Amino acid sequence: MSTIVSVGREICGDFDAALRREWLVTNGLGGYASGTLAGVNTRGYHGLLVAALDPRTVLVAAAVEHATYDGNRYALSSHEYADGTIDGRGYEHLGSFSLDGMLPVWTFALADALLERRIWMPHGANTTYVMYRLRRVTVASVDLEITPLITCRDFHTLARAGAAPRIETLPKLPNVRAIFGEQQIRMLASGGIFDERGEWYWNFLHREERARGLGDIADLYAPGTFRATLRLGDTLTIAYSCEDGAIDLDGDRMLATAQSRQRELLERADAVDADPVVQQLTLAADQFVVERAPTAAGSVPGTTIIAGYQWFNDWGRDTMIALPGLTLATGRPADAASILPGFAPFVRDGLLPNNFPDAAGVIPGYNTVDASLWYVLAIQSYVDASGDGALARELLPIVRQIIDAHIAGTRYGIGVDAADGLLRAGEPGVQLTWMDAKVGDWVVTPRIGKPVEINALWYNALCIAARLTAPDDAKTAAHYDALADRARASFVRRFVRDDGRGLADVVDGPDVAGDDLSIRPNQIFAVSLPHPLLDGDQAKDVVDTVARELLTTIGLRSLSRDDPSYRGAYGGDPLSRDGAYHQGTVWPWLLGPFAEAHHRVYGDAAVALAFLRPLAHHLADAGLGTISEIADGDPPHTPRGCIAQAWSVAETLRVWRKLVSADSETPSENVGTQL
């Protein structure tokens, strides 16, 4: 595949620019390795080995790396301490950085020598490989010193020094085992020696945690140093693992396996000759699809979807929105066929859990009105893509349970209003829609009443339920169809604004005014979903209003800039961040539905696709090779939140491929996607 992410010294040598960009590799279990391009851990979530344990656990946070060449000692690593000291400054020697698919590659220029470092994780194992290769040299050799910095902590919480781990070293190849309590950390090298020392490194600063108003200082333990000498073409491979059993230290073989898997993913997605952006997003999509053991912390056992890296677990809403893009647009219907029934046992009172906690024994939260409706849409998307009627029949009782519970009324005031057939939801103190920010008792956007996208989803769920039910129960299917027709007529009457500015955001709310006419992106779903509620001029007004008031090149703003409640910057402590989360902050995932709605209204796939193309530039910013959770509402729309968000990648990829298919141009004729 084409290398779409590649930067030189202009980024690598600029400390702030290199800190802003983060890399991520994953293992298909929920574990990962991640850090900044510069090497400084700015987040408590950064680490060379964050294992998929209960909960996810940081085991190897970083390493202190040095190379000695022709009598000069060069730092390869960089670390920041609480007093502001930047130690090492390895980024100053970094000539270039690129992604090999999703696998990061650093190339250090040490006088006339070039030293390459690669990091990856084998699929299905809590193991990270770091491989150093001497690419160019004039003088005979380069000496390496690699000192791992280890810990053992929940990835949500930083830790200070405590009892030192017990260190065991084995003969022959450097093979070290550190034991914190009952948890092992294995560190093995393909050559050289291990010089055991054992000391604490104190007061590492994590500046992003400080900016978020959270704990920001941690201590790390150095068990000793790996030392090796490399000649031209030589490699040193270090493996960090918490797995039992043999660890293959043939770095070239293990790297080839990881690269081969990436090629297989592209072949499966029929993307070998696709636009480079499609290829990149296909590989990015793979990072979110994971396998969980039945005992995994709080999650759905089997195949599930991580909502975002580095800190989210699996969420019902996010999973169902992201499923078509992550699995069906990538040629992986079998994964969808595993995910959908895996979530079915968690449906309660017609509701799918909002989120699954990252610790065992914690009851999932059911405070969501839309997750179960997105679930119905995901089932239909799977059936349409796969033709698998058997799974549809298997899940039909769950679909009917969801529909019937909403008709009868269920938790949190969710139920159909008998007066108009629209779906109402909400009660004080509970956040139910995707605009779900809450700080203490403050629900920032409560949206109690009849939210616009909830009723678009409700109408679609009714249409789908009727379609799935019709072959075996025509009477019930006709009932669902009648409810859908009534809901559509009421929707047009209640939500369409008289001033031609699209749709109301919420109607029949508890306030005196009753209706919330805020210009928000939720209205786009009335046009973009498979069964649109509007057509003609009404649909055009929605698309035009969203374009005029909310559209940016990285996503849709969550609130019009003209609204008194608009917040153009996202940052600060939890109160400040959550107060801005849905009050103007840009959401990339919404750009897909917007482009889809635009195509439906205007019929020009090339124009619609042009709304997605600027995201190609974002792939070289923030989370490298992937798409962020959010961005500031004000220019320059700085990326914020999670560096890799499932629905951001999924909806961009799904709609991109759909529009390319709808257009006459071939992927090779696409323009504007090369960086």
Side-chain angles (χ1 to χ4, degrees):
M1 65 171 288
S2 302
T3 299
I4 197 169
V5 176
S6 180
V7 298
R9 281 196 185 274
E10 76 285 354
I11 297 296
C12 298
D14 183 323
F15 186 59
D16 291 335
L19 280 190
R20 169 172 164 154
R21 289 160 173 82
E22 302 177 45
W23 56 273
L24 171 72
V25 296
T26 61
N27 66 357
L29 302 173
Y32 66 88
S34 182
T36 65
L37 190 158
V40 173
N41 283 357
T42 59
R43 306 181 190 274
Y45 297 99
H46 284 156
L48 291 176
L49 177 58
V50 183
L53 303 176
D54 182 8
R56 279 178 280 183
T57 303
V58 181
L59 297 177
V60 182
V64 178
E65 303 163 302
H66 288 92
T68 300
Y69 174 60
D70 196 18
N72 294 311
R73 195 164 187 259
Y74 299 88
L76 308 179
S77 57
S78 306
H79 301 283
E80 185 170 17
Y81 292 90
D83 64 358
T85 299
I86 307 298
D87 181 57
R89 298 183 180 271
Y91 62 91
E92 294 181 348
H93 308 300
L94 185 56
S96 66
F97 174 92
S98 63
L99 286 183
D100 173 8
M102 285 300 295
L103 311 181
V105 185
W106 293 259
T107 301
F108 294 92
L110 314 176
D112 61 354
L114 287 181
L115 180 68
E116 178 186 275
R117 178 178 66 198
R118 290 174 175 264
I119 298 178
W120 72 95
M121 300 184 83
H123 193 72
N126 285 306
T127 300
T128 300
Y129 285 96
V130 183
M131 186 169 74
Y132 307 83
R133 185 189 302 274
L134 189 55
R135 287 290 188 185
R136 187 180 72 201
V137 68
T138 302
V139 181
S141 62
V142 169
D143 294 328
L144 290 181
E145 304 169 30
I146 312 297
T147 303
L149 299 175
I150 63 176
T151 184
C152 185
R153 60 172 177 82
D154 181 334
F155 77 150
H156 290 307
T157 307
L158 292 170
R160 304 307 302 265
R166 187 171 81 255
I167 304 298
E168 300 175 353
T169 58
L170 300 177
K172 297 183 180 179
L173 288 176
N175 189 341
V176 186
R177 185 169 178 255
I179 303 171
F180 284 93
E182 297 181 357
Q183 180 61 55
Q184 72 167 348
I185 306 171
R186 298 175 65 191
M187 296 160 280
L188 305 91
S190 60
I193 63 171
F194 181 75
D195 178 11
E196 183 178 346
R197 259 194 334 272
E199 59 183 324
W200 285 99
Y201 281 48
W202 308 87
N203 299 320
F204 288 93
L205 174 67
H206 300 76
R207 60 167 61 188
E208 284 297 321
E209 307 307 339
R210 175 167 291 183
R212 297 185 338 136
L214 303 174
D216 54 22
I217 305 297
D219 305 322
L220 300 170
Y221 189 78
T225 300
F226 293 102
R227 303 182 191 276
T229 297
L230 300 186
R231 297 184 181 276
L232 181 62
D234 285 350
T235 64
L236 173 69
T237 300
I238 297 179
Y240 303 112
S241 182
C242 63
E243 302 281 353
D244 294 319
I247 302 291
D248 191 340
L249 290 175
D250 187 327
D252 284 326
R253 179 166 56 227
M254 296 307 294
L255 176 61
T257 298
Q259 293 169 327
S260 176
R261 186 172 186 278
Q262 291 192 141
R263 288 192 295 272
E264 290 169 0
L265 289 170
L266 295 179
E267 290 169 359
R268 190 185 308 176
D270 193 22
V272 172
D273 297 317
D275 187 292
V277 174
V278 170
Q279 294 181 334
Q280 190 67 55
L281 293 180
T282 297
L283 300 181
D286 178 62
Q287 295 188 320
F288 303 101
V289 182
V290 304
E291 292 295 326
R292 297 287 210 178
T295 57
S299 354
V300 177
T303 311
T304 186
I305 288 174
I306 295 291
Y309 291 96
Q310 294 96 3
W311 52 81
F312 282 123
N313 211 43
D314 29 1
W315 290 56
R317 173 192 296 122
D318 296 56
T319 294
M320 298 311 150
I321 292 173
L323 182 143
L326 298 185
T327 64
L328 305 179
T330 58
R332 301 169 66 167
D335 287 324
S338 177
I339 292 168
L340 291 169
F343 274 75
F346 294 92
V347 174
R348 298 284 187 276
D349 301 322
L351 302 179
L352 195 69
N354 183 32
N355 69 298
F356 291 83
D358 204 35
V362 181
I363 298 174
Y366 281 83
N367 56 310
T368 171
V369 59
D370 53 350
S372 56
L373 303 179
W374 281 112
Y375 184 43
V376 175
L377 268 70
I379 292 171
Q380 188 61 62
S381 294
Y382 168 74
V383 173
D384 289 344
S386 68
D388 185 357
L391 184 60
R393 288 188 294 274
E394 176 187 338
L395 295 177
L396 181 56
I398 299 295
V399 171
R400 293 187 59 169
Q401 178 191 142
I402 290 169
I403 298 298
D404 294 345
H406 284 69
I407 294 171
T410 185
R411 306 182 194 183
Y412 308 117
I414 299 170
V416 171
D417 186 340
D420 58 13
L422 296 173
L423 193 65
R424 64 178 184 273
E427 59 186 33
V430 181
Q431 72 280 36
L432 294 179
T433 71
W434 80 274
M435 292 188 157
D436 58 357
K438 182 180 180 182
V439 185
D441 294 329
W442 177 37
V443 178
V444 182
T445 50
R447 306 183 73 223
I448 297 173
K450 300 168 183 172
V452 60
E453 84 283 8
I454 300 307
N455 279 282
L457 287 165
W458 174 237
Y459 172 72
N460 274 261
L462 285 169
C463 293
I464 291 167
R467 176 180 169 184
L468 294 177
T469 304
D472 299 317
D473 190 342
K475 181 178 180 180
T476 298
H479 176 57
Y480 291 157
D481 275 330
L483 291 174
D485 290 343
R486 187 177 184 220
R488 181 175 185 177
S490 296
F491 183 93
V492 173
R493 185 174 64 254
R494 292 293 292 113
F495 281 94
V496 175
R497 295 172 53 141
D498 296 333
D499 58 5
R501 299 183 69 200
L503 305 176
D505 188 56
V506 182
V507 300
D508 296 341
D511 297 336
V512 174
D515 297 346
D516 180 358
L517 301 182
S518 302
I519 303 297
R520 293 189 181 275
N522 306 300
Q523 61 186 294
I524 202 68
F525 293 104
V527 183
S528 69
L529 291 178
H531 301 277
L533 283 154
L534 306 173
D535 54 22
D537 287 343
Q538 291 177 335
K540 181 177 180 294
D541 284 344
V542 168
V543 171
D544 290 349
T545 296
V546 171
R548 182 175 59 250
E549 304 270 357
L550 305 173
L551 180 65
T552 76
T553 55
I554 196 173
L556 300 185
R557 292 185 179 92
S558 45
L559 184 64
S560 170
R561 288 173 291 176
D562 296 333
D563 196 291
S565 298
Y566 173 78
R567 301 274 293 277
Y570 175 91
D573 62 19
L575 181 65
S576 299
R577 284 184 281 115
D578 284 340
Y581 205 36
H582 297 293
Q583 298 290 66
T585 295
V586 170
W587 290 79
W589 81 275
L590 295 171
L591 204 54
F594 172 78
E596 195 168 21
H598 194 281
H599 178 236
R600 178 165 279 158
V601 166
Y602 287 98
D604 192 324
V607 170
L609 184 58
F611 292 111
L612 299 178
R613 291 194 187 281
L615 286 172
H617 300 288
H618 175 67
L619 297 177
D621 193 11
L624 296 168
T626 187
I627 302 179
S628 297
E629 177 190 7
I630 53 176
D632 284 345
D634 288 344
H637 308 302
T638 301
R640 307 290 186 187
C642 274
I643 63 167
Q645 195 75 2
W647 59 16
S648 299
V649 171
E651 282 297 87
T652 303
L653 180 58
R654 178 185 68 84
V655 178
W656 191 302
R657 302 209 78 173
K658 180 178 180 179
L659 293 174
V660 166
S661 178
D663 194 28
S664 59
E665 70 177 288
T666 64
S668 61
E669 294 171 336
N670 290 343
V671 296
T673 58
Q674 296 293 328
L675 300 180

